[in-house]
Amino acid sequence: MDKVVNCFKKRPDAVARLICFPWAGGGSIHYARWGNVLSSSVEVLAVKLPGRESRAKEPFFENMQQIVDEVISVLLPLLKEKPFALFGHSFGAFTSFAVADALKKIHNVEPVHIFLSGASAPYSETRIKTPKRSDLSDEDFLKWLISIGGTPPELLANPEVLKLFLPALKADLHVVENYRCNKASSPLFSCPVTCFDGKDDIPHDLQAWKDITSGDFTIKMFHGSHFYLKDSGNEKIILDYVTKHLETSEMDYL
């Protein structure tokens, strides 16, 4: 499991688990450290994808199904043990949804909450009409990333390091650009769904996510652009919100 999941703080007595999925080109560290910050009631598992961190020598996944299959094969026993929620930002929102979709349809296992950030619903017009960018030259790809604020600020400050991240960024973008998902005729889930986004990011069709659940649906907007969640003030609000909802979901689960 350690190959696929990063857990800084194992909490066997936690009431719930939070499974976090990286943004395009991202690693697991940002979310794994949440395990040191959140209360002892929540255990954080951050997904590690091939082609980065300790899996740097492995080839990148080429499609969403590969991500879904690996994550579920490793995590399914844990997900049946106690309540769990999913959190994903941008590319991670799509992988969170794809994993939740498969868990429900194939294994009849459902999260107690799905937290989705910085992304339109996969079947929304906004997302479908988005031009493909993963085949651009590195130079043009970089210009586009910078123009939309889709680059972590710490990478922008170091262009040489940023070039090292481009293969992972492009590989993940290729996965999401080729991920197809039709809108379900009825809600897939009954759990609450919360969407987060930065007010200065390019507009996302967050409202379209409402169709995936018959449960509560909430949108929360924050000051900032695509990586608004890296702001310490925003992060604290998000983590407090997640903790509150996971601790109360334990009551519903029982």
Side-chain angles (χ1 to χ4, degrees):
M1 189 178 88
D2 290 344
K3 181 180 118 169
V4 178
V5 171
N6 197 347
C7 181
F8 276 9
K9 201 121 188 173
K10 290 186 167 50
R11 299 188 187 275
D13 298 325
V15 299
R17 290 189 172 99
L18 179 66
I19 319 298
C20 300
F21 295 82
W23 49 75
S28 61
I29 304 298
H30 179 85
Y31 294 123
R33 67 180 181 78
W34 284 3
N36 295 330
V37 179
L38 289 174
S39 76
S40 59
S41 61
V42 180
E43 183 178 64
V44 178
L45 305 179
V47 171
K48 283 191 284 188
L49 295 177
R52 64 212 84 188
E53 297 179 315
S54 61
R55 306 184 68 184
K57 293 183 178 177
E58 296 179 46
F60 299 117
F61 281 150
E62 295 179 5
N63 58 67
M64 188 66 79
Q65 194 60 49
Q66 290 176 292
I67 298 173
V68 170
D69 289 346
E70 181 178 73
V71 169
I72 291 180
S73 69
V74 169
L75 290 182
L76 187 60
L78 292 181
L79 302 183
K80 289 180 173 179
E81 275 182 4
K82 62 178 68 174
F84 69 94
L86 306 178
F87 184 103
H89 173 69
S90 196
F91 167 69
F94 291 111
T95 52
S96 295
F97 171 71
V99 166
D101 186 29
L103 282 170
K104 179 72 174 183
K105 288 177 179 173
I106 301 169
H107 304 284
N108 199 30
V109 173
E110 183 172 336
V112 292
H113 207 119
I114 302 174
F115 302 98
L116 303 164
S117 168
S120 300
Y123 44 79
S124 69
E125 284 296 312
T126 304
R127 188 256 168 170
I128 291 168
K129 290 177 179 175
T130 303
K132 291 192 175 186
R133 313 281 186 177
S134 59
D135 293 331
L136 292 173
S137 68
D138 284 357
E139 185 180 353
D140 289 341
F141 185 76
L142 202 48
K143 284 178 184 173
W144 167 72
L145 264 185
I146 293 168
S147 74
I148 63 161
T151 316
E154 65 272 18
L155 292 187
L156 274 182
N158 194 332
E160 291 307 309
V161 174
L162 180 56
K163 285 178 185 174
L164 299 176
F165 280 82
L166 280 182
L169 280 165
K170 291 176 109 173
D172 290 349
L173 197 60
H174 173 80
V175 167
V176 84
E177 284 177 347
N178 291 282
Y179 172 54
R180 291 288 171 265
C181 170
N182 295 321
K183 180 178 168 182
S185 55
S186 60
L188 295 163
F189 312 107
S190 58
C191 66
V193 171
T194 300
C195 289
F196 303 120
D197 213 354
K199 292 178 181 176
D200 301 322
D201 198 357
I202 57 170
H204 296 118
D205 188 353
L206 304 177
Q207 195 62 37
W209 285 110
K210 188 177 192 303
D211 297 322
I212 70 173
T213 187
S214 59
D216 292 342
F217 177 75
T218 307
I219 292 175
K220 295 184 77 67
M221 302 297 292
F222 293 84
H223 291 294
S225 55
H226 193 59
F227 283 99
Y228 74 90
L229 74 170
K230 282 177 165 278
D231 174 85
S232 59
N234 288 341
E235 182 178 73
K236 184 178 187 313
I237 295 169
I238 291 168
L239 294 183
D240 286 348
Y241 181 92
V242 167
T243 302
K244 182 184 82 171
H245 282 270
L246 285 185
E247 288 178 344
T248 56
S249 72
E250 165 73 355
M251 308 296 291
D252 298 333
Y253 185 81
L254 295 173

